Amino acid sequence: MKKNFLLILLFTAVLFTACRPETIIDETELPAKEAKRLIILSEGSLNHNNASLAMYDFTAQKLDNKFFETANNRGLGDTANDMIKYGSKIYVVVNVSSTVEIVDAKTGKSLKQIPMKTADNKAKQPRNAAAYGGKVYVTSFDDTVTRIDTTSLAIDGSVQVGRDPEGICIKNNKIYVANSGGLDYSTGNFDYTVSVIDLHSFKEEKKIEVGKNPYQVFADSQGDIYVSTRDIYNSSDWTKIDVPASFKKINVSTGKVETIATISPNKFTIVNDKAYVLVNNYTKTIIAVYDCLNEKVVTNNLLSDDTEIAMPYSIAVDAFNEDVFVMDAIGDGSYGNIVCYDKNGKYKYKIKGVGLYPNNALFLD
Amino acid sequence: MNILKKIVVIVVASCAITTPLLAQNNLDSLQHLPEVVITEKYTDREIRSSAPMQVLSQKSIRNLNVLQLSDAVKHFSGVTVKDYGGIGGLKTVSVRSLGANHTAVNYNGFTINDVQTGQIDVGRFSLDNVDIISLNSGQSDNIFQPARLFASASVLNIQTIAPRFDDDQKINGRASLKVGSFGMFNPSVFTNLKLNEKLSASLSGEWLSANGKYPYILHYGEAGKDSSSVEKRENTDVQNLRLEGALFADFSNKSSGNLRAYYYQSERGLPGATIFYNTSDFSKQRLWDKTFFAQAHYRNDISDRWNFQANAKYNHGYVHYLDPTFLNAEGKLEDTFRQNEIYGSGSVLFRAFENLSFSASTDVAVNNMSANLPDFVYPTRYTLLTSIAAKYVTNQLLATASLLYTQTSEQVKWGTAADNQRRVSPYTSITFQPFETIDFRLRVFYKNIFRLPTFNDLYYSHVGKRSLKPEDTHQFNIGFTYSISIGEWLPLLTITTDAYHNKIKNKIVAYPNRNTFEWSMMNLGSVDINGVDIALESAFELSPKVKLLTGSSFTFQDSKNMTNPDSPAYKHQLPYAPRFSGSGRAAVETPWINAAYSLLWSGTRYTSTQNMPDNRLSGYADHSISLSKSTCIKQNKVVLSFEALNLCNKNYEIVRNFPMPGRSFRGTISIDF
């Protein structure tokens, strides 16, 4: 028995080491380490140039909510929408200032500010980013995905997608982009597709119909793509919703789009093959958890206690210990908080005053 | 970022661009009541008024070094003018922290109404043909006025120059030309014509253009430690045209009337906020607006006891907004909005006893609005306002009381209309002079009034909410006025001091609804305001030929956000309300030359609800001087003046990321004929 067990152990170890060099081909696929610092992006308010990066030291339990500004003697700009970590750098997407700031993750110093402008010098209004294979891909409201080379820190390509692309993810050498058409909200003429771009040729291969106003896209390890769509309002009575926000999956094996009916997302993220969905409910903070491998809802609400969150704005999950962080924007113009729950949804602690409308968090070792 | 938030900002900023109107309103001087002793000495009104009233006459306006009405209004105490900078920038007036929607603008007796935004852009009013501007907190002591003038928390009155003729004069007037920095060019003319003994006319026209390209320093962080760059304001051009004509008739010695037509059009760039790293691409939006109105006023002094007046008006407003950089399918955002108003009012005044009079007024208004927005609901609002008021006056006491009844009815082309409103709003005031020989008066007023939700609040796309209630205000004011004349060298010294407590309930604010992408208007806010306004005015006779006139105002405002005890912003000062602010002015008049100095200053403000260093906007002081010289050429008075504005050349901000112009110059030549 014992021998058998050891044999199996040995066998799996061999299998693991054998597989490792093949499966782990990119930094995005490294296993998570224990986080020492939390970087929080706050979007700021329009026309106020007050987007900010905050840094929270888990050991010292200290917050520096001017991490970027102190390091660079200047502000991040107006309306920061997204950030990702890739290698030793953080890529911050600033929508209204129309820049991508490439920031050293350790020091907060900007290594380069890339102006996101079209050939005729118009603002592209970048929205979201994803990275793979030494490149960072950025969606912009000018209906493009821009590629940034992470060695030269310069733009080296651009591809046309659908209207007003928002979320972006990369899986199995494909880039998936949610085409929202959200800037045509007043006419109800939303886009309803996800563009699939080949990573190597950097050309759009096809568009998959997923429903009006798609917003975020993330992949699980099997290659299934999860998409959220936003509420569609009744055009003659804005107080009514025709189609509520929905949670969908593009099944990689069948290519079909399935709706996960019970969940109406506001924002979501996928960590360790679990989708953590901040449910579209303003009065109560609800986090639904969906198991992407077994394809079933784990819980309709992870949170076991009703901690006061004035305005749940975004969600992030630490892949190492699966602590869940909910960003509370408060909503009345005050600096927001970030609230930490353990993986069972039990309240742990709160970091106050991180910035105005916190919308993203990264875990750094 | 949040698109809706952006849309709201754009709409509020661009469409709070308004609609003027007019008529004739020197009613107080016609009322044969004992408190009206002198009408030319306006300071008299200020100290006798039972609710605070501040007045700037034509002459004092000239000494303020101001071009637009909004600049003059900044000299009133208790006032916050939200100024987005430059000639074309939006300028709205909030009195005592109540918000611009609570300030009515009265142009020659007719309230200017903007049902779409509820805010009047006072930057569009020229001072060229203005005789007097005044500001009433609460309401005027004059009870013989249309019901609408009882229907707001404060009233900014603009009165244009009425025709006055010397004995055998048939025509008079003034032509002037102003030129100044940043390409400003401003010719204007007005003329009065005496058509016959009973009929006179006035005509007025003005053109104002500027490129507005002023330099400013853009700071990318905390000033002093940050990087900065020298930039130039872009897309700041304005082209304004105003044409105005009026007929004045004295039908008999008991009845009179006037008829007025007004046209204004403007094209301007909206420079937008100075966005880090993207200012130029952000500054492309354009705005065109047109306003036309015609208004008629009739008055009949039937007997010593009875007076009657009637007003009627038609107003049309048009706004066209273009954002050519908007990244939707069409590649631009282009909206047009039209508003129409039909308005009528009738008032009677009854002098029951020598000291006691009563009045009643009824106003009816129909307002509608159309827009090129898809699925726009085309709202129409019918408003009925009825007021009854009483006034008691003796030499040492003046008391007024009024009740205003408001009823509205809303209709939309499709969907659900907003809730109809019915309200009764009380007001009362009293001023008392304890000692007959000392010009010292105590005064108190209370007013409870509301503002209706605007069409934007109710119907604007995703944001509007039809079940909104009106936003309520309560004002309590207690104060004193004192005036003294000390010998020949100091013929006039007046002090007015008022302390007040205001409350706002059901404040209409934009708030995230179901989640953060879905904002909507809500009756969420609650505000407590405590403040003190002090104004000082004096005239010194330095020598028989040399006069020094000074004036100053000081304001303390503690305006607390009481909305949510759990918020970090609870009990914090409201955004953009300075705790301390003030103004000063001094003018020296000599037979050879006149010189004037004016100052505006403001303490620290916060740009958002939370009072924290990141939201702090530092205070400022804006100093200006002018020299003017008048001579006579063939009996025509010619005035040359030269002004130097914002001498310290600081691009201070009244609204964050909207820098004001630095030092600039202006020259004026005018000729009276």
Short mmCIF file of all heavy atoms in Angstrom, two decimals, chain B residues 369-411:
data_model
loop_
_atom_site.label_atom_id
_atom_site.label_comp_id
_atom_site.label_asym_id
_atom_site.label_seq_id
_atom_site.Cartn_x
_atom_site.Cartn_y
_atom_site.Cartn_z
N MET B 369 -40.98 71.48 -23.87
CA MET B 369 -39.61 71.29 -24.32
C MET B 369 -39.57 70.17 -25.35
O MET B 369 -40.30 69.20 -25.24
CB MET B 369 -38.76 70.90 -23.11
CG MET B 369 -37.30 70.72 -23.45
SD MET B 369 -36.41 70.16 -21.99
CE MET B 369 -35.05 69.36 -22.81
N SER B 370 -38.72 70.35 -26.35
CA SER B 370 -38.51 69.27 -27.31
C SER B 370 -37.01 69.08 -27.48
O SER B 370 -36.22 69.98 -27.19
CB SER B 370 -39.18 69.59 -28.64
OG SER B 370 -38.63 70.77 -29.18
N ALA B 371 -36.63 67.91 -27.93
CA ALA B 371 -35.22 67.59 -28.12
C ALA B 371 -35.10 66.55 -29.20
O ALA B 371 -36.06 65.83 -29.48
CB ALA B 371 -34.62 67.07 -26.82
N ASN B 372 -33.93 66.50 -29.82
CA ASN B 372 -33.74 65.50 -30.88
C ASN B 372 -33.32 64.14 -30.32
O ASN B 372 -32.93 63.26 -31.05
CB ASN B 372 -32.68 65.99 -31.88
CG ASN B 372 -31.29 66.00 -31.26
OD1 ASN B 372 -31.14 66.15 -30.05
ND2 ASN B 372 -30.27 65.84 -32.09
N LEU B 373 -33.39 63.99 -29.00
CA LEU B 373 -32.98 62.72 -28.39
C LEU B 373 -34.00 61.64 -28.75
O LEU B 373 -35.19 61.90 -28.81
CB LEU B 373 -32.93 62.86 -26.87
CG LEU B 373 -32.07 63.99 -26.32
CD1 LEU B 373 -32.24 64.12 -24.83
CD2 LEU B 373 -30.60 63.73 -26.65
N PRO B 374 -33.53 60.42 -28.98
CA PRO B 374 -34.47 59.36 -29.31
C PRO B 374 -35.41 59.10 -28.14
O PRO B 374 -34.99 59.18 -26.99
CB PRO B 374 -33.56 58.15 -29.55
CG PRO B 374 -32.22 58.52 -29.07
CD PRO B 374 -32.12 59.98 -28.97
N ASP B 375 -36.65 58.86 -28.46
CA ASP B 375 -37.67 58.57 -27.45
C ASP B 375 -37.84 59.68 -26.43
O ASP B 375 -38.18 59.44 -25.28
CB ASP B 375 -37.36 57.25 -26.72
CG ASP B 375 -37.20 56.11 -27.69
OD1 ASP B 375 -38.13 55.89 -28.48
OD2 ASP B 375 -36.13 55.47 -27.68
N PHE B 376 -37.56 60.91 -26.83
CA PHE B 376 -37.75 62.03 -25.91
C PHE B 376 -39.25 62.14 -25.61
O PHE B 376 -40.09 61.93 -26.49
CB PHE B 376 -37.23 63.32 -26.53
CG PHE B 376 -37.17 64.45 -25.56
CD1 PHE B 376 -36.25 64.43 -24.53
CD2 PHE B 376 -38.02 65.53 -25.66
CE1 PHE B 376 -36.19 65.46 -23.60
CE2 PHE B 376 -37.97 66.56 -24.75
CZ PHE B 376 -37.05 66.52 -23.71
N VAL B 377 -39.58 62.48 -24.39
CA VAL B 377 -40.99 62.40 -23.98
C VAL B 377 -41.78 63.69 -24.22
O VAL B 377 -42.98 63.73 -24.01
CB VAL B 377 -41.13 61.99 -22.50
CG1 VAL B 377 -40.59 60.59 -22.29
CG2 VAL B 377 -40.45 62.99 -21.58
N TYR B 378 -41.13 64.74 -24.69
CA TYR B 378 -41.80 66.02 -24.98
C TYR B 378 -42.70 66.49 -23.82
O TYR B 378 -43.91 66.51 -23.94
CB TYR B 378 -42.60 65.94 -26.28
CG TYR B 378 -41.72 65.68 -27.46
CD1 TYR B 378 -41.46 64.36 -27.87
CD2 TYR B 378 -41.11 66.71 -28.14
CE1 TYR B 378 -40.61 64.11 -28.94
CE2 TYR B 378 -40.26 66.47 -29.21
CZ TYR B 378 -40.01 65.17 -29.60
OH TYR B 378 -39.17 64.92 -30.63
N PRO B 379 -42.08 66.85 -22.72
CA PRO B 379 -42.89 67.23 -21.56
C PRO B 379 -43.49 68.64 -21.69
O PRO B 379 -42.93 69.52 -22.34
CB PRO B 379 -41.88 67.20 -20.41
CG PRO B 379 -40.57 67.44 -21.05
CD PRO B 379 -40.64 66.90 -22.44
N THR B 380 -44.65 68.78 -21.08
CA THR B 380 -45.30 70.10 -20.96
C THR B 380 -45.68 70.27 -19.50
O THR B 380 -46.20 69.34 -18.88
CB THR B 380 -46.57 70.17 -21.82
OG1 THR B 380 -46.21 69.88 -23.16
CG2 THR B 380 -47.20 71.54 -21.76
N ARG B 381 -45.41 71.44 -18.99
CA ARG B 381 -45.77 71.71 -17.59
C ARG B 381 -46.70 72.92 -17.54
O ARG B 381 -46.41 73.96 -18.12
CB ARG B 381 -44.51 71.99 -16.76
CG ARG B 381 -44.80 72.42 -15.33
CD ARG B 381 -43.53 72.69 -14.55
NE ARG B 381 -42.80 71.45 -14.29
CZ ARG B 381 -41.54 71.42 -13.85
NH1 ARG B 381 -40.88 72.54 -13.65
NH2 ARG B 381 -40.93 70.27 -13.62
N TYR B 382 -47.81 72.73 -16.86
CA TYR B 382 -48.74 73.83 -16.61
C TYR B 382 -48.56 74.24 -15.16
O TYR B 382 -48.62 73.39 -14.27
CB TYR B 382 -50.18 73.39 -16.84
CG TYR B 382 -50.44 72.93 -18.25
CD1 TYR B 382 -50.23 71.59 -18.61
CD2 TYR B 382 -50.89 73.82 -19.22
CE1 TYR B 382 -50.45 71.17 -19.91
CE2 TYR B 382 -51.12 73.40 -20.52
CZ TYR B 382 -50.90 72.06 -20.86
OH TYR B 382 -51.12 71.65 -22.15
N THR B 383 -48.31 75.51 -14.95
CA THR B 383 -48.08 75.97 -13.58
C THR B 383 -49.06 77.07 -13.24
O THR B 383 -49.24 78.01 -14.01
CB THR B 383 -46.64 76.52 -13.42
OG1 THR B 383 -45.73 75.63 -14.03
CG2 THR B 383 -46.29 76.71 -11.96
N LEU B 384 -49.70 76.91 -12.10
CA LEU B 384 -50.56 77.97 -11.58
C LEU B 384 -49.96 78.44 -10.27
O LEU B 384 -49.67 77.64 -9.38
CB LEU B 384 -51.97 77.41 -11.33
CG LEU B 384 -52.92 78.34 -10.58
CD1 LEU B 384 -53.37 79.49 -11.48
CD2 LEU B 384 -54.13 77.58 -10.05
N LEU B 385 -49.74 79.75 -10.19
CA LEU B 385 -49.19 80.32 -8.96
C LEU B 385 -50.14 81.40 -8.50
O LEU B 385 -50.53 82.27 -9.27
CB LEU B 385 -47.83 80.97 -9.22
CG LEU B 385 -46.65 80.10 -9.63
CD1 LEU B 385 -45.56 80.96 -10.24
CD2 LEU B 385 -46.12 79.37 -8.42
N THR B 386 -50.54 81.33 -7.24
CA THR B 386 -51.40 82.38 -6.69
C THR B 386 -50.81 82.85 -5.38
O THR B 386 -50.45 82.03 -4.54
CB THR B 386 -52.83 81.86 -6.47
OG1 THR B 386 -53.35 81.45 -7.72
CG2 THR B 386 -53.73 82.93 -5.90
N SER B 387 -50.70 84.16 -5.25
CA SER B 387 -50.14 84.67 -4.00
C SER B 387 -51.11 85.66 -3.37
O SER B 387 -51.82 86.38 -4.07
CB SER B 387 -48.81 85.36 -4.25
OG SER B 387 -49.01 86.53 -5.01
N ILE B 388 -51.13 85.65 -2.06
CA ILE B 388 -51.79 86.74 -1.34
C ILE B 388 -50.76 87.29 -0.36
O ILE B 388 -49.96 86.53 0.20
CB ILE B 388 -53.08 86.31 -0.61
CG1 ILE B 388 -52.81 85.08 0.26
CG2 ILE B 388 -54.22 86.06 -1.58
CD1 ILE B 388 -53.94 84.79 1.23
N ALA B 389 -50.79 88.59 -0.21
CA ALA B 389 -49.77 89.19 0.63
C ALA B 389 -50.33 90.40 1.35
O ALA B 389 -51.31 91.01 0.90
CB ALA B 389 -48.56 89.62 -0.21
N ALA B 390 -49.73 90.70 2.49
CA ALA B 390 -50.13 91.88 3.26
C ALA B 390 -48.87 92.61 3.68
O ALA B 390 -47.81 92.01 3.86
CB ALA B 390 -50.92 91.45 4.49
N LYS B 391 -49.04 93.92 3.83
CA LYS B 391 -47.88 94.72 4.22
C LYS B 391 -48.36 95.82 5.16
O LYS B 391 -49.35 96.49 4.89
CB LYS B 391 -47.25 95.30 2.97
CG LYS B 391 -46.07 96.23 3.21
CD LYS B 391 -45.36 96.40 1.88
CE LYS B 391 -44.46 97.57 1.85
NZ LYS B 391 -43.77 97.64 0.55
N TYR B 392 -47.63 95.97 6.24
CA TYR B 392 -47.96 97.01 7.21
C TYR B 392 -46.75 97.92 7.35
O TYR B 392 -45.63 97.45 7.55
CB TYR B 392 -48.31 96.37 8.55
CG TYR B 392 -48.65 97.37 9.62
CD1 TYR B 392 -49.91 97.97 9.66
CD2 TYR B 392 -47.71 97.74 10.57
CE1 TYR B 392 -50.22 98.91 10.62
CE2 TYR B 392 -48.00 98.68 11.54
CZ TYR B 392 -49.27 99.27 11.56
OH TYR B 392 -49.57 100.21 12.52
N VAL B 393 -46.99 99.21 7.23
CA VAL B 393 -45.87 100.15 7.24
C VAL B 393 -46.16 101.35 8.11
O VAL B 393 -47.22 101.97 7.98
CB VAL B 393 -45.59 100.68 5.81
CG1 VAL B 393 -44.36 101.58 5.82
CG2 VAL B 393 -45.40 99.57 4.83
N THR B 394 -45.25 101.64 9.02
CA THR B 394 -45.25 102.96 9.67
C THR B 394 -43.84 103.50 9.51
O THR B 394 -42.99 102.85 8.91
CB THR B 394 -45.58 102.86 11.18
OG1 THR B 394 -44.49 102.20 11.83
CG2 THR B 394 -46.87 102.11 11.43
N ASN B 395 -43.58 104.65 10.10
CA ASN B 395 -42.23 105.21 9.95
C ASN B 395 -41.15 104.32 10.53
O ASN B 395 -40.03 104.30 10.07
CB ASN B 395 -42.15 106.58 10.61
CG ASN B 395 -42.68 107.65 9.68
OD1 ASN B 395 -42.58 107.51 8.46
ND2 ASN B 395 -43.29 108.68 10.25
N GLN B 396 -41.50 103.59 11.58
CA GLN B 396 -40.48 102.81 12.26
C GLN B 396 -40.66 101.30 12.12
O GLN B 396 -39.84 100.55 12.63
CB GLN B 396 -40.44 103.19 13.75
CG GLN B 396 -39.76 104.52 13.96
CD GLN B 396 -39.91 105.00 15.37
OE1 GLN B 396 -40.75 105.85 15.66
NE2 GLN B 396 -39.11 104.46 16.28
N LEU B 397 -41.71 100.91 11.47
CA LEU B 397 -41.99 99.48 11.39
C LEU B 397 -42.45 99.11 9.98
O LEU B 397 -43.22 99.83 9.36
CB LEU B 397 -43.09 99.11 12.40
CG LEU B 397 -43.50 97.64 12.43
CD1 LEU B 397 -42.48 96.82 13.19
CD2 LEU B 397 -44.87 97.49 13.07
N LEU B 398 -41.95 98.01 9.51
CA LEU B 398 -42.45 97.48 8.24
C LEU B 398 -42.57 95.98 8.41
O LEU B 398 -41.62 95.33 8.86
CB LEU B 398 -41.47 97.82 7.11
CG LEU B 398 -41.86 97.46 5.67
CD1 LEU B 398 -41.10 98.34 4.70
CD2 LEU B 398 -41.61 96.02 5.34
N ALA B 399 -43.74 95.45 8.10
CA ALA B 399 -43.93 94.01 8.22
C ALA B 399 -44.66 93.50 6.98
O ALA B 399 -45.55 94.17 6.46
CB ALA B 399 -44.73 93.68 9.47
N THR B 400 -44.24 92.35 6.50
CA THR B 400 -44.95 91.76 5.36
C THR B 400 -45.20 90.29 5.64
O THR B 400 -44.50 89.67 6.45
CB THR B 400 -44.14 91.85 4.05
OG1 THR B 400 -43.06 90.93 4.11
CG2 THR B 400 -43.62 93.24 3.76
N ALA B 401 -46.21 89.77 4.98
CA ALA B 401 -46.47 88.33 5.07
C ALA B 401 -47.10 87.91 3.77
O ALA B 401 -47.84 88.68 3.15
CB ALA B 401 -47.41 88.02 6.23
N SER B 402 -46.78 86.73 3.33
CA SER B 402 -47.42 86.26 2.10
C SER B 402 -47.58 84.75 2.13
O SER B 402 -46.88 84.04 2.85
CB SER B 402 -46.60 86.67 0.87
OG SER B 402 -45.38 85.99 0.84
N LEU B 403 -48.52 84.31 1.35
CA LEU B 403 -48.71 82.88 1.12
C LEU B 403 -48.73 82.67 -0.39
O LEU B 403 -49.37 83.43 -1.12
CB LEU B 403 -50.05 82.40 1.68
CG LEU B 403 -50.15 82.12 3.18
CD1 LEU B 403 -51.57 81.70 3.50
CD2 LEU B 403 -49.16 81.03 3.61
N LEU B 404 -48.02 81.65 -0.82
CA LEU B 404 -48.00 81.35 -2.25
C LEU B 404 -48.55 79.95 -2.45
O LEU B 404 -48.12 79.01 -1.78
CB LEU B 404 -46.55 81.42 -2.76
CG LEU B 404 -46.34 80.99 -4.22
CD1 LEU B 404 -46.83 82.07 -5.17
CD2 LEU B 404 -44.88 80.68 -4.48
N TYR B 405 -49.49 79.83 -3.34
CA TYR B 405 -50.02 78.51 -3.67
C TYR B 405 -49.51 78.12 -5.05
O TYR B 405 -49.60 78.90 -6.00
CB TYR B 405 -51.55 78.52 -3.65
CG TYR B 405 -52.16 77.24 -4.17
CD1 TYR B 405 -52.08 76.07 -3.41
CD2 TYR B 405 -52.79 77.19 -5.41
CE1 TYR B 405 -52.62 74.88 -3.89
CE2 TYR B 405 -53.33 76.02 -5.89
CZ TYR B 405 -53.23 74.86 -5.14
OH TYR B 405 -53.76 73.69 -5.61
N THR B 406 -48.95 76.94 -5.16
CA THR B 406 -48.40 76.46 -6.43
C THR B 406 -49.09 75.17 -6.81
O THR B 406 -49.26 74.28 -5.98
CB THR B 406 -46.88 76.17 -6.31
OG1 THR B 406 -46.26 77.31 -5.75
CG2 THR B 406 -46.28 75.84 -7.66
N GLN B 407 -49.47 75.09 -8.05
CA GLN B 407 -50.04 73.83 -8.54
C GLN B 407 -49.45 73.57 -9.92
O GLN B 407 -49.38 74.46 -10.76
CB GLN B 407 -51.55 73.95 -8.63
CG GLN B 407 -52.20 72.63 -8.97
CD GLN B 407 -53.72 72.70 -8.94
OE1 GLN B 407 -54.29 73.60 -8.32
NE2 GLN B 407 -54.34 71.75 -9.60
N THR B 408 -48.98 72.36 -10.12
CA THR B 408 -48.43 72.03 -11.43
C THR B 408 -49.14 70.80 -11.99
O THR B 408 -49.66 69.98 -11.26
CB THR B 408 -46.92 71.70 -11.38
OG1 THR B 408 -46.74 70.48 -10.66
CG2 THR B 408 -46.13 72.80 -10.73
N SER B 409 -49.10 70.75 -13.30
CA SER B 409 -49.65 69.59 -13.98
C SER B 409 -48.70 69.26 -15.12
O SER B 409 -48.35 70.12 -15.92
CB SER B 409 -51.05 69.94 -14.50
OG SER B 409 -51.47 68.94 -15.37
N GLU B 410 -48.25 68.03 -15.16
CA GLU B 410 -47.25 67.64 -16.16
C GLU B 410 -47.87 66.69 -17.17
O GLU B 410 -48.65 65.79 -16.81
CB GLU B 410 -46.08 66.91 -15.49
CG GLU B 410 -45.42 67.68 -14.40
CD GLU B 410 -44.03 68.19 -14.75
OE1 GLU B 410 -43.43 67.67 -15.71
OE2 GLU B 410 -43.57 69.13 -14.08
N GLN B 411 -47.48 66.88 -18.41
CA GLN B 411 -47.93 65.95 -19.45
C GLN B 411 -46.74 65.56 -20.29
O GLN B 411 -45.84 66.35 -20.51
CB GLN B 411 -48.97 66.63 -20.34
CG GLN B 411 -50.31 66.83 -19.64
CD GLN B 411 -51.32 67.51 -20.54
OE1 GLN B 411 -51.03 67.79 -21.70
NE2 GLN B 411 -52.48 67.78 -19.98
#
